[in-house]
Amino acid sequence: MSCVASASKHEGVAAQAHAPGGPRVIVAGATGFTGALAAHLLWRHPDFELAAVSGRSELGRRLQDVYPRYRVPMLIEPLEVERLEGVDAAVVAYPHAAAAPTVGALRELGTRVVDLSADFRLSSLPTYERWYGEHPRPDLLGDAVYGLTELHRDRIAGAAIVANPGCYPTASLLALAPLARAGLIVDVVIDAKQGISGAGRVFDETTHLSMAGENIVPYKVAAHRHTPEIEEQLGELDPAHRQLKVQFQAHLVPLDQGELASCYVTTTRPVAADELRGLYADAYADEPFVELVEGPPGVLEVRETNYCRVFAAADQHTGKVVAFGAIDNLWKGTSSQAVQNLNLMFGYPETLGLT
Amino acid sequence: MSCVASASKHEGVAAQAHAPGGPRVIVAGATGFTGALAAHLLWRHPDFELAAVSGRSELGRRLQDVYPRYRVPMLIEPLEVERLEGVDAAVVAYPHAAAAPTVGALRELGTRVVDLSADFRLSSLPTYERWYGEHPRPDLLGDAVYGLTELHRDRIAGAAIVANPGCYPTASLLALAPLARAGLIVDVVIDAKQGISGAGRVFDETTHLSMAGENIVPYKVAAHRHTPEIEEQLGELDPAHRQLKVQFQAHLVPLDQGELASCYVTTTRPVAADELRGLYADAYADEPFVELVEGPPGVLEVRETNYCRVFAAADQHTGKVVAFGAIDNLWKGTSSQAVQNLNLMFGYPETLGLT
Amino acid sequence: MSCVASASKHEGVAAQAHAPGGPRVIVAGATGFTGALAAHLLWRHPDFELAAVSGRSELGRRLQDVYPRYRVPMLIEPLEVERLEGVDAAVVAYPHAAAAPTVGALRELGTRVVDLSADFRLSSLPTYERWYGEHPRPDLLGDAVYGLTELHRDRIAGAAIVANPGCYPTASLLALAPLARAGLIVDVVIDAKQGISGAGRVFDETTHLSMAGENIVPYKVAAHRHTPEIEEQLGELDPAHRQLKVQFQAHLVPLDQGELASCYVTTTRPVAADELRGLYADAYADEPFVELVEGPPGVLEVRETNYCRVFAAADQHTGKVVAFGAIDNLWKGTSSQAVQNLNLMFGYPETLGLT
Amino acid sequence: MSCVASASKHEGVAAQAHAPGGPRVIVAGATGFTGALAAHLLWRHPDFELAAVSGRSELGRRLQDVYPRYRVPMLIEPLEVERLEGVDAAVVAYPHAAAAPTVGALRELGTRVVDLSADFRLSSLPTYERWYGEHPRPDLLGDAVYGLTELHRDRIAGAAIVANPGCYPTASLLALAPLARAGLIVDVVIDAKQGISGAGRVFDETTHLSMAGENIVPYKVAAHRHTPEIEEQLGELDPAHRQLKVQFQAHLVPLDQGELASCYVTTTRPVAADELRGLYADAYADEPFVELVEGPPGVLEVRETNYCRVFAAADQHTGKVVAFGAIDNLWKGTSSQAVQNLNLMFGYPETLGLT
């Protein structure tokens, strides 16, 4: 389906949303859910100029014909890195291992990159190899900064490569960071639930409404690759517990966008409700996109926003701390956090184009 | 649930979204779905200042505690019309018959009103009385303009009272207007489907997920009050067929927001595909919020937007014309159309704050 | 995923559900939604013996590993018609045009067939060719009986080939038959809504939960192949109006199983409420699977049953009659109606194994 | 809405489904989700005779008019225990604390009871009082047997009162019992997810499709009353770890029926995959309603059945055991398990009327 409305009108709309003159950003891999959303957010951003959207399929179609909701009238083109000129930054939305070579090629042109894949999220090469196999560009690992904005804001601002976090680590780490920084985490179980958009633009039994609707399904039992990413970041926050093994389990539930990480923490010592509240309030007092709430958060409250809602409570019965992080997996979990990072990288207010 | 984040931060956010200095608008009845959304849209609008949100329940809570998604930090207050001062406009989101007295009181203060109820949608008092019973303020009928922006743009700009259309008439009339204007409609069946948000913040068997999910239910069979509204407007567009009786039927389907009007038109004479395409292209060439598409539109394509997608086709088999209008019932169907109208009433570009 | 429980246990269950000794029935095409359900219903049927389940994919897997809900432990095998022996009947669940040759081969063995495809639904070859192209086995058309049980019960009992109706014609015809028999229908618009299971085990944008959920989408605008099937049957019921052209339009709505046909009928003369009630009561007084209801039926009321709920009302405003038929598209719309027909074909009570 | 079909027909159907002559069972509280389903299962049961359905609301309506899917044509009556005669058993579907007095009155008549409330689930009065407050009939605690069939089959057969388990304990205990019996559980986190039917026939923001759909919400954080029930039963299975505190957390996800308990177990010692498999295979080899599966179970696989699917895996990374239990919360989680227990209590095969 495509719009029959006259091109001139759409060009008018485009001109309105477009921001010629600002930093030029491309999206590589714009036909997947996260790449398309990144393109949409950049298109409507007041300062960035969306310079191109590329894909391996749907070539020659306009992005808005593939994703009608996003109303980005640009044509999907093949990515030809050698022909890129005057591009200031790229969002790379490729699968793991496929991303690193493109990131490398872009770096050679001097383009700054926000990479949505896992290729540069782990600073430890042995850990990467244990979970993912051989790394295509280990030489670039040192140039990458882990892109959970709230944890690495300063380093992201100057980074050549920002390794945008996984959606599960985003929700989990924001729920756990105040405890980790206080050195309190001895053991943690993370039970995460996500909408079907988390499976991406994949067409199989996982995503068919007749099979995925009215269902709750755990997946990748005892082997989810987001585990080492969470462990490495918790280890940075709390070096004394660097050896902590995280029990992480993902589930698909029947909605489109939304993700909740429920975290069950065994602490080094009892934590009173007041102390807990203080830890979280201090950690997030100045964060524009973390909303500390006083009761259990629902993912609908953050849908299509860059917010993460966080709630923590001490369980008097067991002595454990229960902490929740609720996000939109496609937004704060991926694409709007990429824009949050781009804002930092180009000196804009972090919230620009996101509220 | 309410945010524990420091008030100062939220006030900061508020200040950012708020627009002191612009026309001051209140929302009366902000605790229902449509009033809350109107408040949200006005809060984030670059020029209007949301001056107050009132309700009959939830008093003293912040609107964002009742509707977390909308992030409007204002307190819900009782409406005291006599104490209103310096308010330029009001969106009244009350039930039918309950709205008219408040609209009257606001008019006596000189406040311009966009009324979301049916109270001022029908210009004919006898028609109103036949479908709704006695009218509380028939004296004001002459001051009201029917607020389907695309049909009455000029009169809306100067109106004292804008009677915002029903959601079903909005989708139906935008699908049918080009045919009506051409005098082509002899008979029409409108089969409309709507998400559960159309039932409003009502808690009963109609809205319980266990009963409404996995269901399709027709309602108000052969008696929907949106019928005369559609008939009166079609009659204005095509006075020669003013006696046309519209067969209208509504259905609830299991989603939140979204509405499709499928219209089956018997025409005065055969209409060829080219002529049909020309009629619609001419009608909507300059409309910023009508998207003419080349295939059947899905409501997800317009979710949380002010767009209406329209598609019309001639059925070679039967000779009838099939026309579809797809909208978000809460947005273009109600609250964002109210803002579209307010923009016109105060001299702003029609699209301001809506794209 | 497959069950690890010991085979012996499942064989036990199998023996319990299985009915050795009764008529032997196979399901050809058991890996699709409708074939799998037919296998499930036959497996649990007290008298039929499910002799084999065949498919073109998933060979060697047990049906219950592909469709866990149905708990049919038989292996999926390739269909080798020449090796079939002692098979009394077959349910053929193949796509249109692919079914006819297999139906022909089965007939040559003397096997009675319930065909779920459209290949034998139309008695008129020219009509078939206009909508579907060349017919693979026109010689067999005369052997086939249209399998809408309530209309052709007697002929089905003795039929060699039962052409099981489409789901849309099932719901539509049961809603319309009493009016057609009375010669009342001058014009009819049928607006049908169906859950995503109607798209079958197809993996694309039509069925992905992120695209199909929260959506309402019309499809096959002005060209649905169920149209001639409805027209031919209405013509049989009311030969005087045999030239009636039916305006039929299908929509997908976000649920799994369920279908509603909303029918808008222009009648030859005004029909009073009492007359209408009488027509329907007379037509369906003895029907075990038609439930005449006094208000608009929801599809959830018939989910996973062979019932069709029917409701008709006269619209005082327009003079039209509005009639609804609600079914489960996979059950009464397809597979359980196939079993209902098999019951008749083998002399069992029509309701056996279905209540 | 009610059926207009002649009463005689329905009485015919009734007679068919009804089983006069068998043990007479009533359902007290048949207007709630679980009571209505119990009535449905008893109505279609080949041996029990459903003698009456009672409720406090909807009096004088037929149960099938309130729950169309269940097609139980009996009238809803007020419960008058003193007038009950010749009733062999009762299913009591009342809220906690409200159930005990009725259970007591029924016991005084000699009626055997399956109580769906929590009133008799805990054998320890102090534990009950700590979580629920004063107990209305502590004198009857000794007469009650905990009704998780797979754990207490023998005692249930002879019990006067069967305290039907909570849905969460059912799924959790079936997932954990083999580990508990082996004395392996040192610590356990249970993260449970349930469809909206778990909230019951309650009309509020928890169940409104616009708020509950597209959402994931934790509830009763750190305080769910199913916790002591799970702890007490695990203590019976493993007296050496009787002091174990269970970390239990419930979540609502947007579907109707279905529940998954994801259990994360710290074990006394490493458990190899083979040992784990053996433990579960031994525990459930002869269980007709426990399906041991080789991969993560989805709740759709057990929808509207009495089955519980169980899967356990050892996590090589953390050393923990991850175990899942998937049930239909209204069926095995409540009402079909009640029938399973009634079967035992009256000497029928456990599976009668349930497969």
Side-chain angles (χ1 to χ4, degrees):
Chain A
M1 180 194 321
S2 66
C3 288
V4 296
S6 66
S8 62
K9 187 185 103 198
H10 272 96
E11 282 161 14
V13 171
Q16 202 175 3
H18 225 207
R24 291 165 54 84
V25 187
I26 65 162
V27 175
T31 54
F33 283 3
T34 56
L37 176 56
H40 166 66
L41 293 171
L42 288 166
W43 177 261
R44 68 172 213 182
H45 191 280
D47 273 71
F48 289 116
E49 178 186 344
L50 182 61
V53 292
S54 81
R56 293 173 186 181
S57 62
E58 315 284 358
L59 295 174
R61 295 182 71 193
R62 288 186 294 176
L63 189 56
Q64 71 189 13
D65 294 335
V66 184
Y67 289 90
R69 290 191 70 190
Y70 292 155
R71 291 175 173 74
V72 177
M74 298 180 72
L75 292 177
I76 300 164
E77 307 167 75
L79 181 68
E80 301 175 28
V81 175
E82 63 280 9
R83 291 182 51 197
L84 286 176
E85 232 172 81
V87 167
D88 300 289
V91 174
V92 176
Y94 284 173
H96 309 319
T102 297
V103 171
L106 287 161
R107 281 309 301 146
E108 275 137 36
L109 292 174
T111 308
R112 299 174 78 183
V113 177
V114 176
D115 178 28
L116 305 188
S117 85
D119 284 355
F120 299 98
R121 289 181 195 154
L122 296 170
S123 65
S124 157
L125 184 59
T127 304
Y128 182 94
E129 290 175 340
R130 192 157 56 246
W131 290 80
Y132 291 92
E134 197 183 353
H135 197 294
R137 290 297 300 266
D139 57 304
L140 294 173
L141 280 180
D143 294 352
V145 172
Y146 189 73
L148 186 57
T149 325
E150 286 73 13
L151 297 188
H152 301 290
R153 190 171 274 120
D154 294 343
R155 293 175 55 212
I156 289 166
I161 302 172
V162 170
N164 219 56
C167 57
Y168 288 127
T170 295
S172 303
L173 289 167
L174 290 174
L176 293 172
L179 297 173
R181 264 203 212 100
L184 285 166
I185 306 180
V186 170
D187 189 67
V188 60
V189 170
I190 303 173
D191 182 294
K193 304 100 184 146
Q194 192 182 37
I196 304 300
S197 64
R201 198 158 176 267
V202 165
F203 303 107
D204 62 14
E205 299 180 336
T206 310
T207 60
H208 193 300
L209 190 142
S210 291
M211 293 142 177
E214 298 294 300
N215 210 350
I216 310 170
V217 191
Y219 68 101
K220 292 189 190 156
V221 173
H224 200 289
R225 285 167 163 182
H226 282 176
T227 308
E229 193 179 328
I230 299 171
E231 289 174 350
E232 196 177 83
Q233 292 297 315
L234 290 179
E236 279 197 33
L237 292 165
D238 180 11
H241 291 102
R242 198 176 281 283
Q243 299 311 316
L244 177 72
K245 297 291 185 199
V246 167
Q247 184 71 46
F248 178 84
Q249 181 59 49
H251 302 75
L252 285 179
V253 293
L255 51 100
D256 180 5
Q257 294 172 216
E259 178 179 314
L260 180 78
S262 308
C263 309
Y264 307 93
V265 182
T266 305
T267 50
T268 52
R269 57 175 174 77
V271 182
D274 277 358
E275 181 185 0
L276 193 64
R277 177 183 291 246
L279 280 175
Y280 279 79
D282 290 351
Y284 295 131
D286 296 323
E287 286 299 339
F289 288 118
V290 179
E291 296 183 322
L292 220 46
V293 288
E294 287 179 345
V299 300
L300 189 55
E301 301 163 21
V302 294
R303 185 169 175 144
E304 293 181 41
T305 76
N306 193 52
Y307 293 104
C308 177
R309 291 210 149 186
V310 171
F311 171 64
D315 187 324
Q316 300 309 313
H317 180 63
T318 62
K320 287 192 169 69
V321 170
V322 186
F324 301 93
I327 60 172
D328 183 313
N329 50 302
L330 295 186
W331 283 65
K332 177 64 177 171
T334 313
S335 304
S336 67
Q337 182 157 244
V339 173
Q340 187 181 6
N341 288 330
L342 281 168
N343 279 337
L344 284 173
M345 292 163 76
F346 287 87
Y348 295 116
E350 198 173 314
T351 57
L352 194 68
L354 294 175
T355 47
Chain B
M1 179 193 323
S2 67
C3 288
V4 297
S6 65
S8 61
K9 189 184 99 197
H10 272 95
E11 283 162 11
V13 171
Q16 202 174 3
H18 225 206
R24 290 166 54 83
V25 187
I26 65 162
V27 175
T31 54
F33 282 3
T34 56
L37 176 57
H40 165 66
L41 293 171
L42 288 165
W43 176 260
R44 68 172 212 182
H45 192 280
D47 274 70
F48 289 116
E49 179 187 343
L50 181 60
V53 292
S54 82
R56 293 174 185 180
S57 63
E58 314 286 357
L59 295 174
R61 295 182 73 193
R62 288 186 294 176
L63 189 56
Q64 71 189 14
D65 295 335
V66 184
Y67 289 90
R69 291 191 70 191
Y70 292 155
R71 290 176 174 74
V72 177
M74 298 180 71
L75 292 178
I76 300 162
E77 307 167 76
L79 181 68
E80 301 175 30
V81 174
E82 62 280 10
R83 292 184 49 197
L84 285 176
E85 231 172 84
V87 168
D88 300 288
V91 175
V92 176
Y94 285 173
H96 309 319
T102 297
V103 171
L106 287 161
R107 281 308 303 144
E108 275 137 37
L109 293 175
T111 306
R112 299 174 77 184
V113 177
V114 176
D115 179 27
L116 306 187
S117 86
D119 284 355
F120 299 97
R121 290 181 194 155
L122 297 170
S123 66
S124 155
L125 184 59
T127 305
Y128 182 95
E129 289 175 341
R130 189 155 59 246
W131 289 82
Y132 292 93
E134 196 184 355
H135 197 294
R137 292 294 302 266
D139 57 306
L140 294 173
L141 279 180
D143 295 351
V145 173
Y146 189 71
L148 186 56
T149 325
E150 287 73 14
L151 297 189
H152 302 289
R153 189 172 274 120
D154 294 342
R155 294 175 55 214
I156 289 166
I161 301 173
V162 171
N164 220 56
C167 56
Y168 288 126
T170 295
S172 304
L173 289 167
L174 289 175
L176 293 171
L179 297 173
R181 264 204 213 99
L184 286 165
I185 306 179
V186 170
D187 188 67
V188 60
V189 170
I190 303 173
D191 182 294
K193 304 97 183 149
Q194 191 182 37
I196 305 300
S197 64
R201 198 158 175 267
V202 164
F203 302 107
D204 61 16
E205 297 180 339
T206 311
T207 60
H208 193 300
L209 189 142
S210 291
M211 294 142 177
E214 300 294 302
N215 211 349
I216 309 170
V217 191
Y219 67 100
K220 292 186 189 156
V221 172
H224 200 289
R225 287 170 162 180
H226 283 176
T227 308
E229 192 179 329
I230 299 171
E231 288 174 350
E232 196 176 85
Q233 293 296 315
L234 290 179
E236 281 198 31
L237 291 165
D238 179 12
H241 292 101
R242 200 178 280 285
Q243 299 312 317
L244 177 72
K245 298 289 185 199
V246 168
Q247 183 72 43
F248 177 85
Q249 180 59 48
H251 302 74
L252 285 178
V253 292
L255 52 99
D256 180 7
Q257 293 171 219
E259 178 178 314
L260 181 78
S262 308
C263 309
Y264 307 93
V265 181
T266 305
T267 51
T268 52
R269 56 173 175 79
V271 182
D274 276 359
E275 181 186 0
L276 192 63
R277 178 183 291 246
L279 280 174
Y280 279 78
D282 289 351
Y284 294 132
D286 297 322
E287 285 298 340
F289 287 118
V290 178
E291 296 183 323
L292 221 47
V293 288
E294 287 180 342
V299 300
L300 189 54
E301 300 163 20
V302 294
R303 184 168 176 144
E304 294 181 39
T305 76
N306 194 52
Y307 293 103
C308 177
R309 290 209 150 189
V310 171
F311 171 65
D315 188 325
Q316 299 310 312
H317 180 64
T318 62
K320 287 193 168 69
V321 170
V322 187
F324 301 93
I327 59 171
D328 183 316
N329 51 303
L330 296 185
W331 282 65
K332 177 63 177 171
T334 313
S335 305
S336 67
Q337 183 157 242
V339 173
Q340 186 182 5
N341 288 332
L342 282 168
N343 279 338
L344 284 173
M345 293 162 77
F346 287 87
Y348 295 115
E350 197 172 316
T351 58
L352 194 67
L354 293 176
T355 47
Chain C
M1 180 193 324
S2 67
C3 288
V4 298
S6 66
S8 61
K9 189 186 101 198
H10 272 96
E11 282 162 13
V13 171
Q16 202 175 1
H18 224 206
R24 290 165 55 83
V25 187
I26 65 163
V27 175
T31 54
F33 282 2
T34 56
L37 176 57
H40 166 67
L41 293 171
L42 289 166
W43 177 260
R44 66 170 214 183
H45 192 279
D47 274 70
F48 289 116
E49 179 186 344
L50 181 61
V53 292
S54 82
R56 294 175 184 178
S57 62
E58 314 284 356
L59 296 173
R61 296 182 70 192
R62 291 187 292 177
L63 189 56
Q64 70 189 14
D65 295 334
V66 183
Y67 289 90
R69 292 192 67 190
Y70 292 154
R71 290 177 174 73
V72 177
M74 298 180 72
L75 292 177
I76 300 162
E77 305 168 76
L79 181 68
E80 301 176 27
V81 174
E82 63 280 10
R83 292 182 51 196
L84 286 176
E85 232 172 80
V87 168
D88 301 288
V91 175
V92 176
Y94 285 173
H96 309 319
T102 297
V103 171
L106 287 161
R107 281 307 303 141
E108 275 136 37
L109 292 175
T111 307
R112 298 174 77 185
V113 177
V114 176
D115 179 28
L116 306 188
S117 86
D119 284 355
F120 299 98
R121 289 181 194 154
L122 297 170
S123 66
S124 157
L125 184 58
T127 305
Y128 182 95
E129 290 175 340
R130 191 157 55 246
W131 289 82
Y132 292 93
E134 196 184 355
H135 197 294
R137 291 295 303 266
D139 57 306
L140 294 173
L141 280 180
D143 295 352
V145 173
Y146 189 72
L148 186 56
T149 325
E150 287 72 14
L151 297 189
H152 302 289
R153 189 172 274 118
D154 294 343
R155 294 176 55 214
I156 290 166
I161 301 172
V162 171
N164 219 57
C167 56
Y168 288 126
T170 295
S172 303
L173 289 167
L174 290 174
L176 293 171
L179 298 173
R181 265 205 213 96
L184 286 166
I185 306 180
V186 170
D187 188 68
V188 60
V189 169
I190 304 174
D191 182 294
K193 304 100 185 147
Q194 192 182 36
I196 305 299
S197 64
R201 198 159 174 267
V202 165
F203 303 107
D204 62 14
E205 298 180 338
T206 311
T207 60
H208 192 300
L209 189 143
S210 291
M211 292 143 178
E214 299 293 302
N215 211 350
I216 309 169
V217 191
Y219 68 100
K220 292 187 190 158
V221 172
H224 200 289
R225 286 169 161 180
H226 283 176
T227 308
E229 193 180 328
I230 298 170
E231 289 174 350
E232 197 177 84
Q233 293 296 314
L234 290 179
E236 281 198 30
L237 292 165
D238 179 11
H241 291 100
R242 200 177 280 283
Q243 299 312 317
L244 177 71
K245 298 290 185 198
V246 167
Q247 183 71 44
F248 178 84
Q249 180 59 49
H251 302 75
L252 285 178
V253 292
L255 51 99
D256 180 8
Q257 294 172 217
E259 179 178 312
L260 180 78
S262 308
C263 309
Y264 307 93
V265 181
T266 306
T267 51
T268 52
R269 54 172 177 79
V271 183
D274 276 359
E275 180 186 1
L276 193 64
R277 179 182 291 246
L279 279 175
Y280 279 79
D282 290 351
Y284 295 131
D286 296 322
E287 286 298 340
F289 288 118
V290 179
E291 297 183 322
L292 222 45
V293 289
E294 287 181 344
V299 300
L300 189 55
E301 300 163 22
V302 294
R303 184 169 175 144
E304 294 180 41
T305 76
N306 194 51
Y307 293 104
C308 177
R309 291 209 148 187
V310 171
F311 171 65
D315 187 325
Q316 299 311 313
H317 180 64
T318 62
K320 287 192 168 68
V321 171
V322 187
F324 301 93
I327 60 171
D328 183 316
N329 52 303
L330 295 186
W331 284 64
K332 177 63 175 171
T334 313
S335 305
S336 67
Q337 183 157 243
V339 173
Q340 186 182 6
N341 287 332
L342 282 168
N343 280 336
L344 284 173
M345 292 162 76
F346 288 86
Y348 295 116
E350 197 172 315
T351 58
L352 194 67
L354 293 175
T355 48
Chain D
M1 182 194 322
S2 67
C3 288
V4 297
S6 67
S8 62
K9 188 186 99 197
H10 272 97
E11 281 160 14
V13 171
Q16 201 176 4
H18 223 207
R24 291 166 53 83
V25 187
I26 64 162
V27 175
T31 54
F33 282 3
T34 56
L37 176 57
H40 166 67
L41 293 171
L42 289 166
W43 177 260
R44 67 172 213 181
H45 191 279
D47 274 70
F48 290 114
E49 179 187 343
L50 181 60
V53 292
S54 81
R56 294 173 185 182
S57 61
E58 315 285 357
L59 295 174
R61 296 182 71 191
R62 289 185 293 175
L63 190 56
Q64 71 189 13
D65 294 334
V66 184
Y67 290 90
R69 291 191 69 191
Y70 292 156
R71 289 176 174 73
V72 177
M74 299 180 70
L75 292 178
I76 300 163
E77 308 167 74
L79 180 69
E80 301 175 27
V81 176
E82 62 280 10
R83 293 183 49 198
L84 286 176
E85 230 172 84
V87 167
D88 300 288
V91 174
V92 176
Y94 284 174
H96 310 318
T102 297
V103 172
L106 287 161
R107 281 308 302 145
E108 274 137 38
L109 293 174
T111 307
R112 297 174 78 183
V113 177
V114 176
D115 178 29
L116 305 188
S117 85
D119 284 355
F120 299 97
R121 290 181 194 156
L122 296 170
S123 67
S124 157
L125 184 59
T127 304
Y128 182 94
E129 290 175 340
R130 193 157 54 245
W131 290 80
Y132 292 91
E134 197 183 355
H135 196 295
R137 289 296 301 264
D139 56 305
L140 294 173
L141 280 179
D143 294 352
V145 173
Y146 189 72
L148 186 57
T149 324
E150 287 73 13
L151 297 188
H152 302 290
R153 190 172 273 119
D154 295 343
R155 294 174 55 212
I156 290 166
I161 302 172
V162 170
N164 219 56
C167 57
Y168 288 126
T170 295
S172 303
L173 289 167
L174 290 174
L176 293 171
L179 297 172
R181 266 203 211 100
L184 285 166
I185 306 179
V186 171
D187 189 68
V188 60
V189 169
I190 304 173
D191 182 294
K193 303 99 185 148
Q194 192 182 36
I196 305 301
S197 64
R201 198 158 176 266
V202 164
F203 303 107
D204 62 15
E205 298 180 338
T206 310
T207 60
H208 193 300
L209 190 142
S210 291
M211 292 142 179
E214 299 293 299
N215 211 349
I216 310 170
V217 191
Y219 68 99
K220 292 188 189 155
V221 173
H224 200 288
R225 285 167 163 183
H226 283 176
T227 308
E229 193 179 329
I230 299 170
E231 288 174 349
E232 197 177 82
Q233 292 296 313
L234 290 179
E236 279 198 33
L237 292 164
D238 180 11
H241 291 102
R242 198 176 280 283
Q243 299 312 315
L244 177 72
K245 298 290 184 198
V246 167
Q247 183 71 44
F248 177 85
Q249 180 59 48
H251 302 75
L252 286 178
V253 293
L255 51 100
D256 180 6
Q257 294 172 218
E259 178 178 313
L260 180 78
S262 308
C263 309
Y264 307 92
V265 181
T266 305
T267 52
T268 53
R269 57 174 175 76
V271 182
D274 276 0
E275 181 186 0
L276 193 63
R277 179 183 290 246
L279 280 175
Y280 279 79
D282 290 351
Y284 295 131
D286 297 322
E287 286 298 340
F289 287 119
V290 179
E291 295 183 323
L292 220 47
V293 288
E294 287 179 342
V299 301
L300 189 55
E301 301 162 21
V302 294
R303 184 168 175 145
E304 293 180 42
T305 77
N306 194 51
Y307 293 105
C308 177
R309 291 211 148 184
V310 171
F311 171 64
D315 187 325
Q316 300 309 313
H317 180 65
T318 62
K320 287 192 168 70
V321 170
V322 186
F324 301 93
I327 59 172
D328 183 315
N329 50 303
L330 295 186
W331 284 65
K332 177 65 176 170
T334 312
S335 305
S336 67
Q337 183 158 244
V339 173
Q340 187 182 6
N341 288 331
L342 282 168
N343 280 337
L344 284 174
M345 293 163 75
F346 288 87
Y348 295 115
E350 197 172 315
T351 58
L352 194 67
L354 294 176
T355 47

